[in-house]
Amino acid sequence: MTLTGALLSHYRRHPLQLAALALMILLATMLWSGVHQLTGQARDSLARAEQSLSGGREAVRSDGQPVTVDDFVRLRRAGVCVMPWLEVPDPDGPGRLVGIDPLAGQCLVSDSHSGRAPALDGDPFVDIHRAATVSAATPVDSPLHLIVGESPGPLPPGYESAPFQRGPDTGELGRSFLLNLDALGALVLMITALLLRAVYRLGQAQRETSFVLLARYGVPDRVIRRRLVLEILLLSALCIGPGVWAGSALARLLGNGFGASLEGLFDLPLYAGGTDWLTPALVMTAVVVLACVSDLLVPARCRAWLDRGGRSLWPGVILAAVGGAAVLVVSGLAATFAAVAVVFAGVGLLVPTVLSHLADRLAARGVDELRRWRWRELGVMARRLALPVVALQFTLALVLAVQALVASFEQTFEGWLDQRLAADWYLDVPAGADAGPAADWLAGQLAGVDGAAWHRIRRGSATVASIGADDGTRASHRLDLLAVAPIGPLLTRWHLLASADRPWDALARGDGVMINEQAARRFGWVIGDRLRLGEAAPGAATDGLPVLGVYADYGRPEGEVLVAGSRWPAGQTPSFEGFAIEPGTADIDRLIDGVTRRWGGEAPEVQENRAIRASANAVFQRTFVLTRAMTLLTLVLAGTALLVMGLVFITSRAWYFRLLRAWGLSGREVFSQLLRLCLGLTLGVALLALPLGIWLTWVLVGRINPEAFGWSLPMAVYPGFWLELLVLSALIGLGIAGLMRRSLAREATS
């Protein structure tokens, strides 16, 4: 037999170990590479949006009609530097393609003050003809934009220039969200490394006798080590390639929902991008090799020191305490994630030691010999299966925390929608129509009607400046502006996160403003701060209006200011205008017909509450799809690994169970001891995962979520889900015991 055949004979005897290693490498590669491709594509989209033509200008028609190809031809013939920009869905995957005319774009380079060409080559940019073909075959309307140079000069009659902004103002929030996903991906890699190392090391322990025999036959130790490294590299090569391909398929499957979430949450379009195969392959190969054969790189003296340290409680206690304190005081996502990693490292050192010490104490106090044996055996299992036990605990804690985050968000979002969509009907004012006469008519028609309420909505933007105590103007910001009149029951149902005394009465009088949570967090504004809307006129008073309240505003990254209708800036045209109507006993069809007549017969767009809620829920159901997929697959990884590890470990100690038979126990009694042992291990891990999961839930909702999304969530726990995790852990224990029973039965009959 050759040396290679001798080394591989172990996997012929234990094919389950080889299958477990291959499955874990494949699943981990698929999961991490899929996340890497989506986040990398989103980061590239953010960079494209900010660098390509962000902050530029476009040519629009003075009559408000959309521009067409004929307008592009007319402007080019008039000597205007203009380039078409057409965004369409990518037919081959998630994201968008951008159709441009490279020849027309050359003038933008020469017209640029920086002298640098915009980044218009490669993905997602394609020829305008291909984009137009895709647009014609897509039911979604794709508007054409005509980009002009930085100094376009006077445009021909019938055209004017307008800002063209593709770079989101909330890029920091978008980056925070992507960093959040990267951190989750890193945790998946860490759990995978622990699991791989556990399965591989147990296999190496089983192969130790073979290594000694090969050494006696004259095979040098360095040759055996090189062959082991080559073995794991070969396994990685066979599994990582299909894993990256599966990750690409996962990215395509989740890409559309992920892109919709990015655009809805952060104003960030997801542009099409190429598939990055090399980075995931290299990273996963490095993780697999270091996890499995790192012992070959660590001197034996260091390994012995690490093993002695792993049996002590103090290193874990110190790390967990330092990391927990750091989470409370550090700022920024990166620092928070680093502190969380320190806590996880400390807990990882503590859990096997705590389980082992607890089992030994219970064994010392036992009066029944069989019970003492069972507790001693559980302590041995906790020490020998330390890595998969820690990985399962981390996974259970992660699943618990993510489930609590998602459930809290869904519950909070439902309550928020109940407040925001309090009216039954919403009417959009047609473009160019005067909403004033309709508002006066509605006020007269609904006055005194049982259960009736309504208000007029105007949306736009305004420059908002904070006024200091010395009446000096601090930094000003461009924020969304929301004006509502009258301030009635449809609005006063809103729950305020913070407020002054009787805030709604003061807002109705025009004696102050309210801001959303995003503005409060981003700019540090609190109740009582004074804000000025618009640019201050020469000689005008600069005392501003006080902040009366802070309201939750889930799902939007922008800062917003809420004012009474009387405080709408004079002469400013709103970008949106509409009515929210709760008709009570009034006939809604008659009300719609009445406002239509006051707009010269031009009917408004009418939306019912149920349709708006369904659309909003559909968007936010996609927000955590990727997170849920990651946690589910990670749980499958950890459960499978512990199942395999427990089976292999107990199989290696099968002679203990045969000794129980020699002591006079029946086969059913031996299986009962085995079952108690397996359930004790898996349920003990699940119970220890609960406090870590609750703490991680607090970190997610109280520290990470405000940084990543711009809003906070209430801390909530769900004991029902804890029970589900305990049941799942019990099923894993039952699986180990069931497989072991079959193994013992086969040995007994052989």
Side-chain angles (χ1 to χ4, degrees):
M1 178 182 291
T2 63
L3 177 59
T4 301
L7 291 174
L8 294 180
S9 62
H10 170 77
Y11 293 117
R12 287 199 299 269
R13 296 191 302 272
H14 304 283
L16 188 60
Q17 287 186 32
L18 181 62
L21 284 172
L23 180 62
M24 286 189 290
I25 295 173
L26 180 65
L27 287 178
T29 304
M30 178 188 71
L31 190 56
W32 186 79
S33 65
V35 174
H36 170 77
Q37 289 183 41
L38 284 176
T39 55
Q41 189 175 341
R43 282 193 171 85
D44 184 66
S45 297
L46 187 63
R48 294 281 189 180
E50 290 179 340
Q51 297 175 7
S52 296
L53 293 170
S54 177
R57 302 191 71 80
E58 63 176 316
V60 298
R61 292 176 53 145
S62 302
D63 59 6
Q65 296 298 314
V67 295
T68 64
V69 176
D70 293 336
D71 295 301
F72 168 64
V73 174
R74 190 174 298 116
L75 289 172
R76 286 294 289 166
R77 288 177 176 174
V80 179
C81 177
V82 62
M83 182 191 71
W85 180 286
L86 179 63
E87 295 189 14
V88 297
D90 183 7
D92 299 324
R96 301 180 187 173
L97 297 174
V98 180
I100 61 170
D101 184 351
L103 295 178
Q106 293 301 314
C107 67
L108 297 181
V109 179
S110 59
D111 193 48
S112 173
H113 295 322
S114 63
R116 293 179 299 174
L120 302 177
D121 55 329
D123 292 329
F125 300 102
V126 297
D127 186 80
I128 187 69
H129 176 71
R130 179 187 172 192
T133 303
V134 173
S135 178
T138 304
V140 180
D141 183 30
S142 302
L144 176 68
H145 299 274
L146 300 178
I147 313 302
V148 297
E150 295 179 5
S151 304
L155 296 177
Y159 297 94
E160 58 187 29
S161 65
F164 178 76
Q165 179 73 31
R166 300 308 297 154
D169 295 331
T170 54
E172 288 303 319
L173 283 180
R175 292 187 184 92
S176 298
F177 175 65
L178 297 177
L179 180 59
N180 218 13
L181 288 180
D182 285 341
L184 190 56
L187 183 58
V188 170
L189 281 182
M190 180 183 71
I191 292 174
T192 302
L194 291 174
L195 297 174
L196 286 172
R197 181 174 175 80
V199 175
Y200 190 78
R201 283 187 65 180
L202 189 57
Q204 293 303 96
Q206 292 177 317
R207 302 167 76 178
E208 193 63 37
T209 305
S210 301
F211 297 155
V212 172
L213 185 61
L214 289 173
R216 289 179 177 177
Y217 276 103
V219 180
D221 182 64
R222 65 179 183 276
V223 174
I224 296 176
R225 294 191 176 200
R226 283 200 298 265
R227 291 298 180 92
L228 292 177
V229 173
L230 184 62
E231 173 187 293
I232 201 65
L233 284 174
L234 178 61
L235 182 62
S236 301
L238 293 175
C239 298
I240 288 177
V244 174
W245 176 85
S248 300
L250 180 66
R252 288 193 298 271
L253 179 65
L254 301 176
N256 291 330
F258 181 70
S261 297
L262 281 179
E263 189 158 9
L265 290 170
F266 307 109
D267 290 342
L268 173 60
L270 185 67
Y271 290 129
T275 301
D276 182 10
W277 292 77
L278 182 60
T279 302
L282 292 178
V283 169
M284 286 306 304
T285 301
V287 168
V288 172
V289 171
L290 291 177
C292 294
V293 298
S294 58
D295 284 347
L296 303 181
L297 308 176
V298 179
R301 193 172 294 177
C302 293
R303 293 200 300 270
W305 181 84
L306 290 174
D307 290 339
R308 288 194 302 271
R311 292 191 290 270
S312 175
L313 288 172
W314 287 112
V317 171
I318 293 173
L319 284 176
V322 170
V327 168
L328 296 174
V329 299
V330 299
S331 60
L333 269 182
T336 304
F337 284 137
V340 171
V342 173
V343 172
F344 269 68
V347 172
L349 293 176
L350 276 175
V351 169
T353 307
V354 168
L355 274 177
S356 177
H357 286 186
L358 181 62
D360 290 343
R361 283 181 176 272
L362 291 173
R365 294 179 181 180
V367 295
D368 178 70
E369 290 82 359
L370 198 58
R371 181 174 299 178
R372 287 204 304 269
W373 171 84
R374 191 170 60 248
W375 284 119
R376 291 290 185 188
E377 192 69 9
L378 181 61
V380 175
M381 288 184 70
R383 291 189 294 270
R384 292 286 299 273
L385 301 178
L387 291 178
V389 161
V390 169
L392 180 63
Q393 186 205 17
F394 287 177
T395 306
L396 291 175
L398 176 65
V399 171
L400 187 150
V402 170
Q403 188 274 341
L405 173 67
V406 174
S408 298
F409 180 81
E410 290 175 341
Q411 181 177 344
T412 305
F413 184 63
E414 282 293 326
W416 177 75
L417 280 182
D418 288 338
Q419 298 177 24
R420 285 303 185 96
L421 301 178
D424 286 341
W425 299 91
Y426 293 86
L427 279 62
D428 296 353
V429 177
D434 185 3
D440 296 337
W441 183 82
L442 278 175
Q445 293 296 313
L446 294 177
V449 177
D450 291 340
W454 73 283
H455 59 237
R456 177 183 176 184
I457 304 168
R458 280 177 284 184
R459 289 190 177 275
S461 61
T463 300
V464 181
S466 175
I467 308 301
D470 56 354
D471 291 339
T473 301
R474 299 173 183 170
S476 59
H477 311 276
R478 192 73 179 175
L479 301 182
D480 287 351
L481 181 63
L482 171 63
V484 177
I487 305 297
L490 293 180
L491 198 68
T492 55
R493 299 173 188 174
W494 289 13
H495 170 69
L496 299 179
L497 303 177
S499 67
D501 185 43
R502 301 179 67 85
W504 296 112
D505 293 340
L507 183 68
R509 296 191 303 267
D511 294 339
V513 301
M514 293 188 183
I515 58 176
N516 66 355
E517 182 183 3
Q518 288 84 327
R521 286 183 175 276
R522 197 174 306 163
F523 309 122
W525 295 337
V526 296
I527 303 300
D529 284 356
R530 307 189 74 84
L531 306 179
R532 187 187 68 231
L533 304 180
E535 300 294 341
T542 59
D543 54 349
L545 297 171
V547 175
L548 301 171
V550 178
Y551 55 90
D553 194 13
Y554 303 108
R556 298 176 62 249
E558 297 89 352
E560 183 180 80
V561 177
L562 170 65
V563 299
S566 59
R567 286 289 183 177
W568 182 264
Q572 179 172 329
T573 302
S575 60
F576 169 82
E577 199 165 4
F579 293 97
I581 301 176
E582 178 69 39
T585 58
D587 183 8
I588 186 63
D589 293 329
R590 187 180 64 84
L591 296 176
I592 295 173
D593 183 65
V595 297
T596 300
R597 288 198 303 270
R598 275 142 189 86
W599 290 327
E602 188 172 0
E605 181 179 349
V606 180
Q607 300 181 72
E608 193 176 0
N609 186 308
R610 289 176 297 178
I612 302 175
R613 290 178 67 95
S615 176
N617 282 318
V619 171
F620 283 98
Q621 285 298 322
R622 294 192 293 259
T623 301
F624 292 104
V625 168
L626 184 60
T627 304
R628 281 172 164 165
M630 292 180 69
T631 53
L632 177 61
L633 288 178
T634 306
L635 185 60
V636 171
L637 270 177
T640 303
L642 187 61
L643 186 68
V644 173
M645 285 290 297
L647 176 62
V648 172
F649 172 76
I650 295 179
T651 302
S652 66
R653 301 175 70 82
W655 66 278
Y656 277 108
F657 297 96
R658 289 194 292 270
L659 187 60
L660 293 178
R661 293 294 300 271
W663 287 346
L665 272 68
S666 66
R668 177 172 297 181
E669 290 172 327
V670 171
F671 177 69
S672 175
Q673 297 300 317
L674 175 63
L675 184 61
R676 293 180 185 182
L677 192 60
C678 296
L679 289 177
L681 178 66
T682 55
L683 290 177
V685 173
L687 290 174
L688 289 175
L690 291 181
L692 181 62
I694 295 171
W695 175 82
L696 187 58
T697 301
W698 172 82
V699 173
L700 287 176
V701 302
R703 302 284 293 156
I704 293 176
N705 205 69
E707 293 278 356
F709 291 98
W711 62 79
S712 60
L713 289 172
M715 173 71 178
V717 293
Y718 299 91
F721 188 70
W722 301 355
L723 181 61
E724 292 179 18
L725 288 183
L726 290 175
V727 171
L728 177 63
S729 301
L731 290 177
I732 295 174
L734 288 173
I736 297 174
L739 290 174
M740 184 56 199
R741 184 181 189 180
R742 293 184 59 185
S743 177
L744 291 177
R746 285 196 303 268
E747 290 185 10
T749 57
S750 61

